[in-house]
């Protein structure tokens, strides 16, 4: 079953604009990760935020985590056409060993 | 560092036939995952190994899917017999044991069942 649910399902923006996507999840987590998937390719890890962190930055990426609301957001600033991809949140939690459960994804299209 | 290797990249079979996918994880990664990704959806965990033992196969359709990880390295996922709804991308991933950090993914095998 899917642990997380991304919102919106699809997003279309102009190059240079910011893109924000949200993720909600159901159970307690150790950390939350965001992955990017280009069409027909594997998933690439973008950023990880631990359950005791509230905000994290990596280049043009900014991730926030609100464990009380069981939600996270990914902000991509100054978007580029190359950012066009699907973005997934994955929650990592341990029940003896770590599991990574993915959400439904946001399909981002950046128009040049 | 070599990434996660998967083969084949593409496979087309008829329903009721069998098919096998192969995965070679990153060297030293004790944990290996198989995910099924249906078009337009997120990856769904099918089975998780730690070394050569299964730690979670709760979402594996065991009447038709099987997986093994001999010697705690390479893994094979098999479908027998295949159904039309098995058409998907099958992704293999690996990670360091006990780390809770990122999982590294292969390019996947795109299966089409006709």
């Amino acid at each position: 079953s899917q642990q997380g649910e991304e919102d919106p399902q699809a997003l279309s923006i102009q190059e240079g604009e910011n893109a924000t996507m949200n993720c909600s999840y159901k159970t307690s987590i150790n950390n939350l990760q965001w992955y990017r998937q280009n069409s027909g390719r594997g998933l690439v890890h973008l950023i990880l935020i631990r359950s005791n962190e509230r905000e994290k930055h990596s280049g043009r990426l900014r991730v926030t985590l609100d464990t009380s609301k069981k939600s996270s957001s990914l902000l991509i600033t100054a978007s580029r056409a190359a950012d066009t991809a699907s973005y997934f949140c994955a929650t990592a939690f341990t029940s003896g060993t770590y599991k990574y459960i993915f959400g439904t994804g946001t399909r981002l299209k950046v128009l040049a | 560092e070599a990434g996660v290797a998967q083969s084949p990249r593409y496979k087309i079979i008829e329903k009721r036939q069998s098919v096998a996918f192969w995965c070679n994880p990153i060297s030293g990664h004790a944990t290996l995952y198989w995910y099924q990704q249906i078009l337009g959806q997120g990856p769904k965990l099918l089975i998780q190994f730690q070394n050569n033992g299964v730690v979670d196969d709760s979402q594996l359709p065991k009447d038709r899917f099987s997986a093994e990880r001999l010697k705690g390295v390479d893994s094979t996922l098999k479908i027998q017999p295949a159904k039309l709804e098995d058409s998907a991308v099958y992704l293999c991933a690996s990670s360091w044991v006990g780390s809770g950090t990122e999982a590294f993914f292969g390019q996947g095998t795109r299966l089409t069942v006709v």
Side-chain angles (χ1 to χ4, degrees):
Chain A
S1 62
Q2 303 286 163
Q3 156 80 307
E5 194 169 306
E6 281 90 336
D7 165 54
Q9 289 188 338
L11 181 61
S12 185
I13 59 173
Q14 295 291 326
E15 204 167 30
E17 293 181 338
N18 296 341
T20 300
M21 50 205 88
N22 305 295
C23 167
S24 59
Y25 57 92
K26 299 173 185 173
T27 64
S28 296
I29 60 173
N30 292 85
N31 65 65
L32 186 143
Q33 304 173 30
W34 286 89
Y35 288 78
R36 183 186 72 227
Q37 185 177 40
N38 292 90
S39 179
R41 309 291 294 274
L43 287 92
V44 174
H45 182 263
L46 295 176
I47 193 166
L48 177 154
I49 185 165
R50 301 194 183 281
S51 59
N52 61 353
E53 298 176 312
R54 291 297 167 258
E55 187 171 313
K56 201 157 183 184
H57 297 254
S58 176
R60 295 185 295 114
L61 305 180
R62 172 180 169 253
V63 169
T64 61
L65 179 64
D66 187 334
T67 53
S68 66
K69 295 181 179 178
K70 291 187 170 57
S71 68
S72 173
S73 68
L74 172 67
L75 168 68
I76 304 174
T77 60
S79 63
R80 306 165 181 167
D83 295 327
T84 294
S86 291
Y87 292 81
F88 295 91
C89 68
T91 50
F93 60 97
T94 181
S95 59
T97 184
Y98 278 96
K99 303 180 188 299
Y100 302 88
I101 305 298
F102 284 81
T104 51
T106 292
R107 291 181 297 283
L108 173 66
K109 188 169 186 178
V110 181
L111 304 170
Chain B
E1 179 182 75
V4 176
Q6 287 189 249
S7 67
R9 283 298 312 277
Y10 305 92
K11 190 75 177 179
I12 300 175
I13 62 172
E14 295 182 350
K15 58 184 179 184
R16 290 187 291 274
Q17 286 187 324
S18 62
V19 64
F21 313 127
W22 173 81
C23 173
N24 179 239
I26 291 173
S27 178
H29 282 190
T31 308
L32 184 146
Y33 312 82
W34 282 102
Y35 287 86
Q36 179 194 56
Q37 187 177 22
I38 293 172
L39 185 64
Q41 299 183 17
K44 182 180 87 170
L45 179 66
L46 292 177
I47 189 167
Q48 179 179 345
F49 292 94
Q50 185 160 312
N51 296 307
N52 60 348
V54 175
V55 295
D56 186 350
D57 63 357
S58 57
Q59 298 209 79
L60 187 75
K62 298 181 187 64
D63 58 334
R64 298 184 300 106
F65 285 64
S66 65
E68 60 181 7
R69 190 183 184 196
L70 299 176
K71 300 180 182 178
V73 183
D74 292 8
S75 178
T76 303
L77 176 69
K78 295 179 182 177
I79 307 176
Q80 182 179 14
K83 293 185 175 181
L84 296 177
E85 59 260 36
D86 298 332
S87 293
V89 176
Y90 290 85
L91 295 162
C92 179
S94 67
S95 69
W96 296 104
V97 66
S99 66
T101 57
E102 64 182 290
F104 294 80
F105 282 80
Q107 292 296 298
T109 296
R110 184 178 297 277
L111 174 68
T112 302
V113 182
V114 298

